Amino acid sequence: KKKKKKMKVSQIFVSVLLCKSAWSLTMSLTMSASSSKKLLVLGGSGYVGREVSRRAVRRGWEVTSLSRRGINPESGDPVMEAVNWVAGDATDPNVVKPLVNEVDAVVHAVGLLFDVDSKLDKLNLIVSGSGSKPDEGSTYDRITRLTAFNAIDAANSKLRLPFAPRVPFLFVSAAEAGWPTVQFGDIVEDRLAPEWLKRYLAAKRAVEAKLGDSVTTLRPVIFRPSLIWSWTKLDVLPIIPVFNIASAVGVPFVDRTVKVSTLADAIITALTDDSVEGVQRFMQMDELAAAAQAGGGDVTSAVSSS
């Protein structure tokens, strides 16, 4: 009887190993048979999302962008023309779920600095890198929290075979979302932050918390940039030195600014590096971006010639 039990245990163990090997082989064959991995970028036509989309296409991803307008912001660019630009409302779970079901990874880059309740929403025409115009329903809760929750719920509910890898879910948060964990950060937020900023951060933190509760099915990567900039974004250029100097001298609640190209490169690295998980501040973003630059993998010529 003991021998039979041992044999049964051994058989079960071997069966598990065989199933795992078969799954790995199936996944390898599937990936090699398909032209590319599939990525959904929520807010793909926005300031950050378009840079992520561009780099993902260059790395061989099949990219779908979901945004309100669904329009290629750089019409005529052969790389950007390779993106599937979908118009839809990300606050509607019935719009988000079918798109999430078809992809291998999700990037959430939807956001706005001033919502309608702040009474400063007209300023988005100036500060938005994509010239986004909020509508009457554009609150932080709907645009940030609800859109992300819809995508997270859809990713969590995807059918997964045993031993399947977790779905990479990358979220663009904000450095200030980490104020409670840094010296004087909670004081700054409680006493100095305007109400609109508190609501902005509350929405970001709600998404971060939900991702933290989803680690069994998702691989959450949370990017916390402070000001995101490029040389063409003139509205933030005068403020950049203030943030950078404050960070350099050790002000604990101010992070150095991040170029949009650095953030996008970091996101691309994190998509495929399974060791990357959790919160990424500017120093981690620098490392991930450097890895993207060193790794190459640019297949732009293939896209351009297709």
Side-chain angles (χ1 to χ4, degrees):
K1 290 183 178 180
K2 289 183 178 180
K3 287 184 179 179
K4 287 183 178 181
K5 284 184 179 180
K6 287 183 179 179
M7 288 181 64
K8 285 183 178 180
V9 171
S10 299
Q11 289 172 348
I12 292 171
F13 182 72
V14 171
S15 298
V16 169
L17 288 178
L18 288 174
C19 287
K20 187 172 183 179
S21 299
W23 165 251
S24 299
L25 178 61
T26 301
M27 287 301 296
S28 298
L29 292 173
T30 301
M31 291 304 298
S32 61
S34 63
S35 59
S36 60
K37 294 164 289 184
K38 296 180 179 181
L39 172 67
L40 173 64
V41 182
L42 297 170
S45 60
Y47 182 54
V48 174
R50 71 180 66 178
E51 296 303 324
V52 173
S53 298
R54 186 197 321 279
R55 285 160 173 77
V57 169
R58 286 173 172 167
R59 293 302 181 94
W61 287 81
E62 184 179 326
V63 180
T64 295
S65 162
L66 174 63
S67 61
R68 287 183 301 162
R69 291 168 288 183
I71 298 173
N72 180 357
E74 298 180 27
S75 181
D77 184 304
V79 174
M80 300 298 273
E81 291 290 352
V83 176
N84 177 27
W85 302 98
V86 176
D89 182 4
T91 65
D92 183 351
N94 295 319
V95 171
V96 175
K97 187 175 176 60
L99 296 175
V100 172
N101 284 341
E102 296 298 320
V103 299
D104 305 297
V106 179
V107 173
H108 186 284
V110 181
L112 75 169
L113 184 56
F114 300 116
D115 73 350
V116 291
D117 292 339
S118 71
K119 309 303 181 187
L120 300 170
D121 49 303
K122 297 295 188 296
L123 292 177
N124 284 299
L125 293 173
I126 301 172
V127 301
S128 171
S130 62
S132 178
K133 300 177 182 178
D135 58 28
E136 62 277 4
S138 295
T139 63
Y140 297 128
D141 185 71
R142 286 177 58 78
I143 299 302
T144 299
R145 186 197 62 80
L146 183 57
T147 59
F149 274 34
N150 286 342
I152 293 169
D153 288 339
N156 278 330
S157 66
K158 287 183 67 172
L159 291 176
R160 296 173 70 251
L161 293 175
F163 311 110
R166 294 178 297 164
V167 176
F169 195 108
L170 284 60
F171 173 61
V172 180
S173 186
E176 294 76 16
W179 271 349
T181 63
V182 300
Q183 189 177 23
F184 306 126
D186 53 345
I187 297 174
V188 171
E189 182 170 347
D190 290 341
R191 300 182 184 180
L192 300 178
E195 285 303 315
W196 64 264
L197 180 55
K198 292 178 181 179
R199 289 185 292 101
Y200 172 86
L201 296 177
K204 295 286 191 183
R205 289 169 185 155
V207 178
E208 291 189 9
K210 189 171 180 68
L211 285 171
D213 293 335
S214 305
V215 293
T216 56
T217 52
L218 308 183
R219 176 171 63 85
V221 186
I222 297 165
F223 294 89
R224 284 185 181 167
S226 60
L227 285 180
I228 306 170
W229 66 282
S230 58
W231 291 112
T232 58
K233 202 169 186 302
L234 302 180
D235 59 295
V236 298
L237 291 182
I239 316 171
I240 298 299
V242 177
F243 274 71
N244 290 348
I245 291 171
S247 178
V249 300
V251 178
F253 50 85
V254 178
D255 273 10
R256 200 199 69 212
T257 60
V258 176
K259 289 186 71 174
V260 67
S261 56
T262 299
L263 174 56
D265 282 338
I267 289 172
I268 293 301
T269 297
L271 275 173
T272 54
D273 188 341
D274 290 339
S275 68
V276 181
E277 187 168 346
V279 173
Q280 312 295 311
R281 293 181 62 191
F282 68 90
M283 53 285 257
Q284 287 86 27
M285 288 182 236
D286 286 346
E287 293 175 1
L288 292 170
Q293 293 296 324
D298 193 323
V299 293
T300 308
S301 58
V303 173
S304 302
S305 60
S306 62

